[in-house]
Amino acid sequence: MQAVRLAKKYPQFKQDEIYDLINQFRKIDVDEKGAVDKSVVISALQSSGEATYDEARETLKGVSVDSSGKVELEDWVQLHSLLKQGAAGDVEAHKGKVTVKGTAGTGAQHTINEDERRSFTEHINAVLTGDSDIDHILPLPTDTMQLFDECKDGLLLCKLINDSVPDTIDERVLNKPTVSKTTRAVKPLNAFQITENNNIVITSAKGIGCSVVNIGSSDISEGREHLILGLIWQIIRRGLLSKIDIKLHPELYRLLDDGETLEEFLRLPPDQILLRWFNFHLKAANWPRRVTNFSKDVSDGENYTVLLNQLKPDVCSRAPLQTRDLHQRAEEVRRVLQHCEPRHQKPPLIITSFARPLARDRSSKTPTRFSAVVSSPRTPWLPVTQSSTWPLWRTFSTLTLVLNRWTRPRRLPRSRTLMPRVRGRHVCLPCG
């Protein structure tokens, strides 16, 4: 009877095809509840070769799934109907940008930066590998949008917050999925537990200095890519910039200007100290140029080339300065950075290098943007001393997100009194 009803509603399928779809759904509905998670559906489509991860994910946004978020039999047939009609979501990158669908039924679209998504995924894989609570989802693939789906239950973001600012969240209050020791099957969290985790994410992110305006727990649980990507950027940036601290690296006193007191230096935001470090090495290299920002002043790659040569002259030459084409120069610097990475080094080198045409867009305030980024967040910041033997591939640990976002850097709180502390099942922030 059900097959007859579905055949009438979806006449593009023959009776035999409807029966095949019903049998396929029953195979993935192992609990026989009549509904399965979206992740199971995406995995099934991937395994059968009917769609890639991103195609299945984007097409599911056009399926009339109820408020539970579970895919039922009729949704399964509708999904295959859309795939058959060629309505699979297009998630191909165009000039480094990926356009994804917004909330179902609104027709909205959002654009995210492909290089940022890939770099953030690699960063998360590097710093969270070995965590027993989430090792069943790691490493995340860097060539799909799976990052946003794995963030939906809030657990991954909570772990990332604690990595950036240790002990921000008491992990005993987090809801964690149950993983079978024998079959390794994962029992996902229910909607209430997901909401609890995401509320902790929002409160804790705000506590460490992130801007969470217009971001709610529902935005995370629905996997809204542009909001999650922005939140991840802020969390990682907070952790990376926290390493620029004279208490951790007393040698930073050498960056003081003439007549400047230590108290005045300590009042500088981390990104300004980073710029001063950059200029310190440019001056030591007898290079006439100086940088005052991480956008226009580094857009042509010349200052990067000189900095790399100053830090590792035996490996990084100034040959890219002779290259006129910005894309080619970016590629040359990227190859140099890759050459500096030892084969045994973990986490792997994270490099994003690109040059943009002379056309402004909403994600870049500079006509041409170039970045060569190496992220190794677990290591200290390179000392100022030129005789330091600290490896080159560690030197840009704090540059990752400063360069890849146009958002104006915010002055982060210096006091740890703003860090949230979780008691019981609530996240408590200090008053005042």
Side-chain angles (χ1 to χ4, degrees):
M1 194 67 184
Q2 193 175 31
V4 175
R5 181 177 59 84
L6 291 173
K8 290 181 178 179
K9 187 171 183 179
Y10 300 99
Q12 62 269 37
F13 292 116
K14 298 178 181 179
Q15 193 74 23
D16 293 341
E17 292 176 324
I18 292 292
Y19 281 117
D20 288 340
L21 291 175
I22 293 175
N23 291 331
Q24 291 174 16
F25 183 79
R26 287 174 178 172
K27 287 181 180 179
I28 63 175
D29 184 19
V30 293
D31 296 330
E32 298 183 355
K33 294 183 178 179
V36 295
D37 290 326
K38 290 182 178 179
S39 59
V40 176
V41 171
I42 294 174
S43 178
L45 291 175
Q46 267 190 296
S47 301
S48 64
E50 296 177 78
T52 64
Y53 186 96
D54 290 343
E55 287 175 345
R57 185 178 183 275
E58 284 297 296
T59 307
L60 267 172
K61 293 181 180 180
V63 177
S64 305
V65 180
D66 60 23
S67 58
S68 68
K70 302 284 187 178
V71 177
E72 299 177 351
L73 175 58
E74 187 169 335
D75 302 326
W76 172 259
V77 177
Q78 183 186 3
L79 174 61
H80 280 79
S81 174
L82 293 175
L83 291 172
K84 188 174 183 179
Q85 294 171 11
D90 182 11
V91 290
E92 293 183 1
H94 178 65
K95 294 183 178 180
K97 301 292 182 181
V98 175
T99 301
V100 294
K101 297 177 182 178
T103 306
T106 63
Q109 291 185 331
H110 303 289
T111 302
I112 62 174
N113 189 295
E114 174 69 7
D115 295 296
E116 288 180 353
R117 182 199 57 74
R118 183 181 296 107
S119 294
F120 297 167
T121 305
E122 291 176 346
H123 175 94
I124 290 172
N125 287 337
V127 301
L128 298 183
T129 296
D131 192 304
S132 59
D133 295 327
I134 56 175
D135 62 354
H136 60 282
I137 64 173
L138 296 177
L140 297 171
T142 59
D143 56 348
T144 71
M145 309 289 277
Q146 188 174 339
L147 168 66
F148 306 109
D149 292 333
E150 301 299 348
C151 287
K152 288 182 178 181
D153 64 3
L155 185 58
L156 183 67
L157 292 176
C158 286
K159 295 287 186 177
L160 186 61
I161 289 174
N162 268 355
D163 177 79
S164 292
V165 184
D167 301 324
T168 297
I169 301 172
D170 186 344
E171 295 189 5
R172 292 174 296 180
V173 305
L174 297 177
N175 298 300
K176 304 172 184 178
T178 305
V179 182
S180 173
K181 294 182 179 180
T182 55
T183 63
R184 301 299 296 171
V186 180
K187 182 181 179 182
L189 303 178
N190 59 42
F192 176 76
Q193 292 172 320
I194 291 175
T195 300
E196 277 191 333
N197 280 355
N198 287 332
N199 285 335
I200 293 175
V201 170
I202 298 299
T203 308
S204 302
K206 184 177 181 180
I208 64 174
C210 300
S211 174
V212 292
V213 178
N214 296 329
I215 303 178
S217 61
S218 60
D219 295 317
I220 300 176
S221 61
E222 292 172 7
R224 297 188 179 177
E225 297 87 354
H226 63 298
L227 296 179
I228 293 178
L229 195 69
L231 183 59
I232 291 176
W233 165 71
Q234 293 186 78
I235 295 171
I236 296 177
R237 180 180 183 273
R238 175 68 176 89
L240 293 178
L241 292 182
S242 66
K243 295 175 175 60
I244 307 179
D245 192 332
I246 200 168
K247 295 179 182 178
L248 298 175
H249 304 286
E251 62 273 8
L252 289 177
Y253 78 92
R254 298 186 61 189
L255 296 179
L256 269 68
D257 290 335
D258 294 337
E260 184 180 29
T261 65
L262 185 60
E263 289 74 16
E264 293 172 336
F265 179 78
L266 291 176
R267 285 197 290 267
L268 292 174
D271 52 295
Q272 292 300 314
I273 297 178
L274 190 61
L275 284 171
R276 193 174 290 193
W277 170 81
F278 202 147
N279 288 323
F280 176 92
H281 288 291
L282 293 179
K283 181 179 179 181
N286 295 320
W287 183 247
R289 293 181 58 183
R290 298 293 181 267
V291 295
T292 59
N293 54 67
F294 287 117
S295 54
K296 183 178 180 179
D297 289 351
V298 296
S299 62
D300 58 8
E302 290 185 355
N303 288 322
Y304 271 134
T305 301
V306 175
L307 177 64
L308 293 171
N309 174 255
Q310 178 67 13
L311 295 172
K312 198 75 171 178
D314 56 329
V315 177
C316 306
S317 69
R318 295 193 182 187
L321 295 178
Q322 309 303 320
T323 304
R324 290 197 170 191
D325 183 80
L326 294 181
H327 292 270
Q328 186 177 347
R329 184 183 298 166
E331 181 62 25
E332 289 178 7
V333 176
R334 186 186 68 84
R335 285 199 298 265
V336 169
L337 288 171
Q338 283 183 320
H339 182 68
C340 295
E341 177 196 10
R343 294 173 184 262
H344 64 274
Q345 182 63 38
K346 297 292 181 179
L349 194 68
I350 299 175
I351 297 176
T352 301
S353 59
F354 54 93
R356 308 187 66 82
L358 296 177
R360 296 179 182 273
D361 56 36
R362 61 190 295 269
S363 64
S364 175
K365 288 189 174 180
T366 57
T368 304
R369 185 171 65 171
F370 163 83
S371 66
V373 183
V374 181
S375 174
S376 297
R378 287 197 180 279
T379 59
W381 188 52
L382 180 73
V384 175
T385 54
Q386 196 132 7
S387 61
S388 170
T389 58
W390 201 263
L392 171 64
W393 53 89
R394 301 292 193 179
T395 60
F396 288 119
S397 62
T398 52
L399 287 181
T400 305
L401 288 318
V402 178
L403 306 180
N404 269 347
R405 281 271 175 167
W406 62 264
T407 308
R408 183 177 180 180
R410 301 171 63 249
R411 183 181 289 271
L412 299 174
R414 295 187 177 277
S415 172
R416 289 183 61 89
T417 57
L418 290 179
M419 304 303 178
R421 288 294 179 267
V422 180
R423 298 182 185 134
R425 300 191 69 81
H426 302 279
V427 179
C428 303
L429 290 175
C431 300

